[in-house]
Amino acid sequence: MNKNKFILFCILPSIVILLIVVIFPMVGAINYSLQDKSLRFLEGDYIGFQNYIDMFEDRRFINALKISLYWELITVIGSLLLAILVSIILFEYSNKNYRILLAIILIMPIMLPKVSAGLIWRFMLSPVMGLVNAPLISLNLNPIEYLASPKLALFSVAFVDIWQWGLFFGVILLFLLETLPRDLIDAAKIDKVKKWQLHYFITFPMLKGSLITIALIKAIESLRSFDLIFTMTKGGPGITTETLDLYAYQQGIGLRGEISYASAMSVAMVIITIVIFTFIWKRAQKS
Amino acid sequence: MKKNLISNSIIFLLILFAITPILFALLGSFKELKDIINPIPKIIFSPTLENYITVLTTDSILRGIQNSTIIVGTSLLIGILVGIPAAYAIARYKPRGSNDLRFFYLSIRFMPPVAIAIPFIGIFLDLGLYDTKTAIIITYLPVTISSIIWLSIPAFESVPKDIEEAAGIEGCGYFGIFTKIALPVASPSLIGAVIFTFVITWNELLIALSLSSRNVTLPVVAASFTSLGFETPWGVINASAILLAIPPLLFVGIIINFIKKYISND
Amino acid sequence: MLKKIIFKTFIILAISGISLNAYANSCKGDVSEINVLIQGHPAMVHMEKHKADFEKLMDLKVNVTTLGEQERRSQSRVDASTGAGAYDVYYVDEANIAEFVKGDWVESLDKYFPAGADMADFQAGKISIGNINGTNYFAPFMGGQDVLMYRKDIFAEKGISVPTNTDEMLEVAKALTDAPNMYGWAQRGQRGSGMNVWRWNPYHRGFGGEWTNADGSPNINSAEAVKATEYYMELFNYAPPGARTGTWSDQIEAFRAGKVAMMTANDVFGAWVEDAEKSSVVGKVGYADLPTPILSGGFAHGLAISKPGTSSECEKVMAGEFIGWATGKDMESMRLDEGIYDIARQSSASNPKFTSLMPDDFNEAVKATSPKTSLLIWKIPEWPAIGDELGLVLEELFSGTRSDIQGSLDEVQEYAIKYLEKSK
């Protein structure tokens, strides 16, 4: 076997499988999206681009676009901020001997299945039995309706996502901080530079590349908001936490069963994400 | 001394922030419903194993565990067989267009799961595969293959080239170098990559929820406990949330080592 | 193989009506397993625990799949509409029975319900939910109607009497609210035809609202619907936190935890409230007729034979046998023995285990609301989608993300017209 054949032998199966498993459903989705099939009426007629036109007159779709965008922004920024805070706390205040143990504890939340995390926090945030509201109730104050208030619900669910990812990225940033040249930090310390100055001016600028990568990874992972939202609010109250994937699910698979319409939304979603992320990725690679 | 106290309490608060919810659920899983719905959480209560017994004697949970094991196991195995050689070839030989190739694998992760699940319903119905384990396994392949490749490339990149070249001189073929030299040397990191992928797949909800009712995985079963009937069995929900989280949590130690290595290699 | 099937079918047809056992016995060994899709309702969980009895009796394997309510509805629909046919038995309820019958997805039960299981013993109100054009399509195992539940101790302490009309009810709810310790009222706001629509509807219909105009066209945005929505929204001011997106269990748990003074609820919850293991208000609850003009929403959940899932005559027979067993008299009395008080049979209603559980005023309240009870939702195949849209809009109104009641209901009306047009 020569070198090129060997490389081909190694790489080809993965490409073939991935292309098949991705192209088939995409062709399927485009095909469905041009019809008016539903799970109640499986024989559909081709109706051109009607589903796509309907989409932009559908207030729930427009709303879902908006919520998805908010979700991306809140979770990406929130996780990064928490991660930076956590990494500095660990770096400055934790004993080196116990760091690995601390790290293990702090990545536990990300290991939880989203379903578990969602259920656990629904329980924590419950106005009647939740731990978070217990102090208010014992002080005879009204509990806060974290998941039932339209103003708070999206933030509450995003908080759980940030709880999972922020702590995880915090540990990663800690490890990254540890890889920085020690003498630089020591020199700064001798100069009596304040801690926040050290990190703001020296360490984190050095980690800029890693921070961008982390932000990008988080942005990609935030596209998978479904599991958490599905277990915590199912899109409610009203449609205030209804993201694109949740709405497509509700339309296509949930009670409505409008697979053609949902397929059109899927196609739109794929196009939007691929265009945006390819653009961002290429930009990030250049810098 | 005082400084020590402050830093210790900051760290302590951080730990509380991370694990209080998990502990609260754990506590709840040993409570009777009457103790759970009390507005002021009870710390002292008579613990019960009832919830776990209910969970572990429910057919759908048991089948969920079985289905999850088979589905995740198989798709992981295929991911390993297909993904690891690919990762090796890209890391070691950097073939032409390997950057684009890397981006291709990553871009698979851009695909919204719902966009894959909905058309697959139709496709699997046509193929007679709807609501089978095979269907879910196939749908999980993009996830397992692409993540294993992505996470394994650095593992192979850190294998010193000279060891491989020495083996080449000793007459090992390309395949021999891969299996006899590169794989064993990289295997500690590869295990981390595989486990990471395991966690991602084990935790998946949407695809399993959409493509199956009889062959559902554990997350689907756990999620459905919240809308069972009239009574929300919070004790049982807590118990199933904990149970579902055990396999991933078992691996935190391995994962943390993997991350550490991954980062210090950079 | 085909010959065998034809032969068996012939035998079955020949002996049908002779005796239940002979009928089923001829199929014994022919069907190796039946698949059942259920919602994990306590009565069904109980059934699953005892399924070995049936397996032994009929020498086959019973595979039970349990899903949550919404998932159960959508998965059974996919299974039926696509002809996938993975299940022999579906769990069907008042909200989707019409859809399943129209789609020709369920088999007539009159033909396959075992004679020994005594179909005549089902309570009329519950079996009738699954009766369409004179044919029974499901066998109910639970269901109910509404009554007013209130805290006798609190009403006595404050010297307040039980409200008899909706105006009084609102005043009482207001007077008894002392947040965060006591709320005068409890109801649910989460979207869904079994959730907020279910509780809103008794006001809508009670105020005189109708689903359709005289000519059969949709009439969802009537003045009565607006009035019902306003009234319902006002009640939320006296309900515990979380109610605006809450579920039935949030509502009941708040009441059981002793934080609610009064609510209208389904009579099946009477047993929950009086369950000393889980309730802190046992013995403190009074039951009464509904304040006028509120109507009582009758409902039932039952089991039906799947058409796409049962291709052979024997499979249908066995599915029928299974349903007969799972909804039988013995099963219900076993449930009562184990403290599960969901019943659908007249014989169970007179079982001392059932009658002794509930106080006298409960039985009187049920009697009083019986004449006001009917299936209040719109019994059409398109209901699941229309009910879902209505539920969503109501939840938006309740949680305050929308405020224009008339405009919101107009939107649902428009949706219903379009959807009905499309479904023709």
Side-chain angles (χ1 to χ4, degrees):
Chain A
M1 199 187 288
N2 71 27
K3 187 172 150 188
N4 283 336
K5 263 193 188 157
F6 176 71
I7 295 174
L8 210 61
F9 167 79
C10 286
I11 296 179
L12 206 58
S14 70
I15 297 180
V16 170
I17 294 181
L18 288 177
L19 282 180
I20 291 175
V21 192
V22 171
I23 285 176
F24 258 100
M26 261 2 278
V27 172
I30 294 169
N31 182 28
Y32 285 149
S33 75
L34 302 173
Q35 307 178 41
D36 60 355
K37 269 188 196 223
S38 77
L39 290 179
R40 277 193 61 213
F41 310 102
L42 277 175
E43 287 100 60
D45 297 323
Y46 282 90
I47 52 166
F49 289 95
Q50 194 55 45
N51 285 321
Y52 293 92
I53 297 165
D54 288 349
M55 221 152 62
F56 288 94
E57 285 165 6
D58 178 356
R59 70 180 179 99
R60 280 176 81 180
F61 178 77
I62 306 289
N63 172 73
L65 263 181
K66 204 176 70 188
I67 300 290
S68 292
L69 184 68
Y70 289 162
W71 173 265
E72 282 284 318
L73 289 175
I74 298 170
T75 55
V76 172
I77 295 172
S79 313
L80 273 181
L81 290 180
L82 179 63
I84 291 172
L85 182 72
V86 166
S87 66
I88 294 178
I89 289 177
L90 289 177
F91 191 73
E92 294 295 338
Y93 297 112
S94 75
N95 187 319
K96 264 205 135 161
N97 300 327
Y98 302 117
R99 261 187 204 169
I100 200 80
L101 204 68
L102 279 175
I104 286 180
I105 292 174
L106 296 184
I107 69 159
M108 277 177 151
I110 190 78
M111 303 301 280
L112 292 182
K114 294 268 173 194
V115 171
S116 291
L119 292 175
I120 287 171
W121 274 99
R122 229 175 87 181
F123 189 47
M124 286 283 287
L125 297 174
S126 155
V128 186
M129 43 192 182
L131 193 59
V132 179
N133 271 313
L136 288 178
I137 294 180
S138 53
L139 288 174
N140 234 355
L141 295 169
N142 273 324
I144 298 170
E145 304 178 56
Y146 291 99
L147 296 173
S149 145
K151 289 196 188 82
L152 289 177
L154 186 65
F155 287 98
S156 306
V157 183
F159 170 80
V160 179
D161 186 75
I162 294 168
W163 172 71
Q164 290 194 285
W165 285 96
L167 291 174
F168 172 65
F169 286 141
V171 170
I172 290 191
L173 284 180
L174 169 73
F175 291 158
L176 286 167
L177 283 175
E178 285 177 349
T179 62
L180 295 180
R182 194 67 225 179
D183 40 351
L184 196 84
I185 295 168
D186 290 339
K189 283 204 168 143
I190 291 165
D191 287 344
K192 299 229 162 161
V193 172
K194 287 207 176 87
K195 274 174 192 154
W196 70 267
Q197 286 175 325
L198 164 76
H199 292 295
Y200 187 80
F201 290 113
I202 301 172
T203 60
F204 278 92
M206 289 173 79
L207 293 178
K208 195 176 152 209
S210 305
L211 284 172
I212 291 174
T213 312
I214 288 177
L216 207 62
I217 290 174
K218 179 64 192 117
I220 293 171
E221 291 305 319
S222 284
L223 294 172
R224 277 148 230 277
S225 54
F226 178 87
D227 298 6
L228 207 52
I229 298 179
F230 183 79
T231 27
M232 290 187 76
T233 63
K234 293 231 157 94
I239 48 175
T240 48
T241 58
E242 193 167 80
T243 49
L244 273 176
D245 48 359
L246 194 80
Y247 182 47
Y249 173 85
Q250 305 265 28
Q251 281 288 357
I253 302 157
L255 281 178
R256 304 291 174 94
E258 304 280 353
I259 37 174
S260 276
Y261 187 52
S263 295
M265 281 194 280
S266 309
V267 173
M269 261 159 82
V270 172
I271 293 172
I272 296 171
T273 44
I274 290 205
V275 167
I276 293 180
F277 277 95
T278 309
F279 176 74
I280 296 178
W281 184 256
K282 298 277 170 190
R283 281 285 306 262
Q285 280 221 314
K286 265 183 205 148
S287 63
Chain B
M1 196 59 216
K2 195 180 153 204
K3 207 183 149 198
N4 229 334
L5 190 74
I6 293 173
S7 51
N8 280 344
S9 25
I10 291 178
I11 295 289
F12 182 68
L13 284 177
L14 192 62
I15 293 175
L16 275 189
F17 177 64
I19 58 169
T20 309
I22 305 174
L23 294 180
F24 188 55
L26 191 66
L27 213 60
S29 71
F30 291 106
K31 283 182 181 175
E32 285 173 26
L33 194 63
K34 209 167 49 174
D35 291 325
I36 292 175
I37 59 171
N38 201 300
I40 308 300
K42 282 190 182 172
I43 305 295
I44 298 158
F45 59 93
S46 54
T48 170
L49 282 175
E50 190 78 26
N51 299 320
Y52 284 96
I53 293 171
T54 308
V55 167
L56 289 173
T57 53
T58 305
D59 240 22
S60 46
I61 288 263
L62 294 180
R63 234 162 337 117
I65 295 176
Q66 200 189 355
N67 290 337
S68 273
T69 313
I70 296 173
I71 290 168
V72 175
T74 314
S75 48
L76 208 56
L77 191 71
I78 299 175
I80 292 169
L81 288 177
V82 173
I84 288 193
Y88 171 70
I90 291 171
R92 177 69 181 76
Y93 298 106
K94 300 209 168 26
R96 245 181 310 130
S98 64
N99 259 338
D100 290 330
L101 210 52
R102 278 180 183 216
F103 181 69
F104 167 70
Y105 292 130
L106 181 76
S107 68
I108 298 289
R109 194 86 188 135
F110 300 166
M111 294 285 290
V114 72
I116 295 183
I118 289 172
F120 257 141
I121 293 178
I123 293 168
F124 286 137
L125 278 168
D126 287 343
L127 295 175
L129 284 174
Y130 179 76
D131 201 0
T132 60
K133 293 186 189 71
T134 318
I136 309 181
I137 291 170
I138 292 175
T139 320
Y140 279 173
L141 285 182
V143 181
T144 57
I145 294 177
S146 62
S147 358
I148 285 183
I149 293 179
W150 247 84
L151 296 168
S152 303
I153 290 177
F156 284 116
E157 276 174 341
S158 66
V159 176
K161 260 191 178 174
D162 33 342
I163 312 183
E164 291 191 24
E165 273 155 14
I169 294 162
E170 279 170 30
C172 279
Y174 293 103
F175 195 73
I177 296 174
F178 169 51
T179 53
K180 287 189 192 131
I181 312 290
L183 261 188
V185 175
S187 63
S189 308
L190 292 179
I191 290 172
V194 170
I195 286 176
F196 228 113
T197 313
F198 162 79
V199 174
I200 295 174
T201 329
W202 176 269
N203 295 353
E204 203 283 334
L205 170 70
L206 198 160
I207 288 173
L209 183 68
S210 312
L211 288 182
S212 168
S213 59
R214 272 188 310 162
N215 288 295
V216 288
T217 54
L218 205 50
V220 183
V221 181
S224 76
F225 267 114
T226 55
S227 52
L228 272 182
F230 287 129
E231 186 177 42
T232 304
W234 275 107
V236 176
I237 291 173
N238 279 319
S240 54
I242 295 289
L243 194 78
L244 176 64
I246 287 176
L249 285 180
L250 284 179
F251 293 118
V252 273
I254 298 178
I255 298 252
I256 208 79
N257 275 322
F258 172 68
I259 297 171
K260 247 200 126 157
K261 225 182 263 157
Y262 204 99
I263 286 170
S264 46
N265 277 344
D266 257 11
Chain C
M1 187 64 199
L2 189 67
K3 255 189 187 163
K4 196 177 153 199
I5 293 172
I6 294 173
F7 180 65
K8 288 241 159 148
T9 313
F10 176 75
I11 298 228
I12 290 162
L13 291 175
I15 59 171
S16 66
I18 299 175
S19 111
L20 144 83
N21 270 334
Y23 193 65
N25 277 339
S26 73
C27 283
K28 238 184 184 178
D30 213 62
V31 179
S32 61
E33 57 172 24
I34 56 172
N35 296 308
V36 185
L37 177 62
I38 59 164
Q39 180 181 329
H41 189 278
M44 287 291 103
V45 174
H46 171 266
M47 176 280 290
E48 193 184 346
K49 249 193 245 162
H50 294 277
K51 70 174 187 177
D53 297 351
F54 183 75
E55 290 177 330
K56 226 178 180 175
L57 190 71
M58 290 297 165
D59 190 25
L60 46 69
K61 205 171 159 347
V62 177
N63 301 314
V64 177
T65 300
T66 311
L67 293 174
E69 176 158 284
Q70 304 282 51
E71 292 77 41
R72 182 259 304 168
R73 283 197 187 129
S74 55
Q75 286 290 357
S76 57
R77 174 208 271 147
V78 175
D79 184 74
S81 72
T82 60
Y87 299 99
D88 301 275
V89 175
Y90 293 138
Y91 180 122
V92 191
D93 60 37
E94 74 288 339
N96 64 358
I97 182 71
E99 182 186 21
F100 274 61
V101 172
K102 167 107 184 274
D104 199 20
W105 300 334
V106 285
E107 192 66 64
S108 153
L109 202 59
D110 293 328
K111 197 170 154 199
Y112 294 101
F113 198 70
D118 193 3
M119 195 174 246
D121 183 43
F122 285 117
Q123 294 170 333
K126 289 170 188 163
I127 187 96
S128 71
I129 301 276
N131 186 303
I132 292 182
N133 299 330
T135 306
N136 287 308
Y137 288 96
F138 80 24
F141 58 87
M142 61 95 62
Q145 64 193 63
D146 295 333
V147 291
L148 183 77
M149 302 185 185
Y150 65 97
R151 289 281 298 278
K152 285 186 290 193
D153 51 337
I154 295 170
F155 273 64
E157 185 191 316
K158 303 246 169 168
I160 291 177
S161 54
V162 179
T164 58
N165 61 49
T166 43
D167 292 333
E168 284 175 29
M169 193 173 97
L170 208 56
E171 277 165 36
V172 170
K174 189 176 177 184
L176 291 176
T177 298
D178 177 22
N181 300 311
M182 183 55 65
Y183 296 88
W185 187 248
Q187 64 187 8
R188 54 206 192 215
Q190 191 174 80
R191 75 169 105 165
S193 73
M195 290 283 188
N196 54 12
V197 178
W198 190 262
R199 287 261 62 95
W200 165 89
N201 206 15
Y203 303 98
H204 164 232
R205 300 291 302 276
F207 292 149
E210 291 289 341
W211 291 113
T212 52
N213 295 311
D215 62 351
S217 60
N219 180 31
I220 298 171
N221 53 350
S222 63
E224 292 84 6
V226 173
K227 189 178 161 201
T229 311
E230 283 166 350
Y231 186 81
Y232 202 81
M233 283 169 70
E234 196 162 354
L235 282 171
F236 273 120
N237 296 331
Y238 315 114
R244 285 179 168 84
T245 61
T247 64
W248 48 46
S249 92
D250 296 331
Q251 180 193 355
I252 303 308
E253 293 311 348
F255 192 83
R256 289 212 291 204
K259 304 195 91 177
V260 174
M262 168 178 73
M263 64 177 179
T264 54
N266 210 274
D267 61 350
V268 297
F269 292 128
W272 300 106
V273 166
E274 300 294 340
D275 180 351
E277 289 256 303
K278 290 167 179 164
S279 170
S280 60
V281 295
V282 176
K284 294 178 189 165
V285 181
Y287 302 87
D289 190 2
L290 297 166
T292 52
I294 309 172
L295 294 178
S296 154
F299 80 100
H301 291 197
L303 299 175
I305 303 174
S306 154
K307 254 191 184 172
T310 52
S311 47
S312 76
E313 194 65 18
C314 268
E315 281 175 350
K316 293 184 203 293
V317 169
M318 276 305 169
E321 284 290 335
F322 172 79
I323 295 175
W325 169 80
T327 62
K329 281 181 203 173
D330 294 347
M331 184 59 94
E332 289 206 346
S333 94
M334 242 156 70
R335 284 211 292 269
L336 290 174
D337 288 343
E338 292 181 33
I340 298 164
Y341 294 96
D342 295 321
I343 58 162
R345 288 179 167 272
Q346 296 166 25
S347 51
S348 309
S350 52
N351 184 324
K353 278 237 164 64
F354 186 75
T355 48
S356 66
L357 174 81
M358 301 305 296
D360 290 342
D361 62 342
F362 175 80
N363 298 323
E364 275 158 35
V366 170
K367 237 178 248 160
T369 63
S370 285
K372 304 177 182 178
T373 303
S374 62
L375 181 64
L376 297 176
I377 57 166
W378 201 356
K379 200 174 178 180
I380 50 170
E382 292 80 10
W383 172 253
I386 295 174
D388 185 49
E389 181 75 15
L390 177 59
L392 171 73
V393 167
L394 286 179
E395 188 185 308
E396 290 184 275
L397 288 166
F398 299 162
S399 60
T401 51
R402 297 186 120 182
S403 51
D404 177 11
I405 297 174
Q406 182 71 55
S408 305
L409 292 175
D410 289 349
E411 224 171 73
V412 183
Q413 166 84 355
E414 215 172 286
Y415 174 84
I417 292 172
K418 254 198 220 159
Y419 192 76
L420 288 170
E421 185 60 36
K422 211 181 130 191
S423 307
K424 267 181 190 159

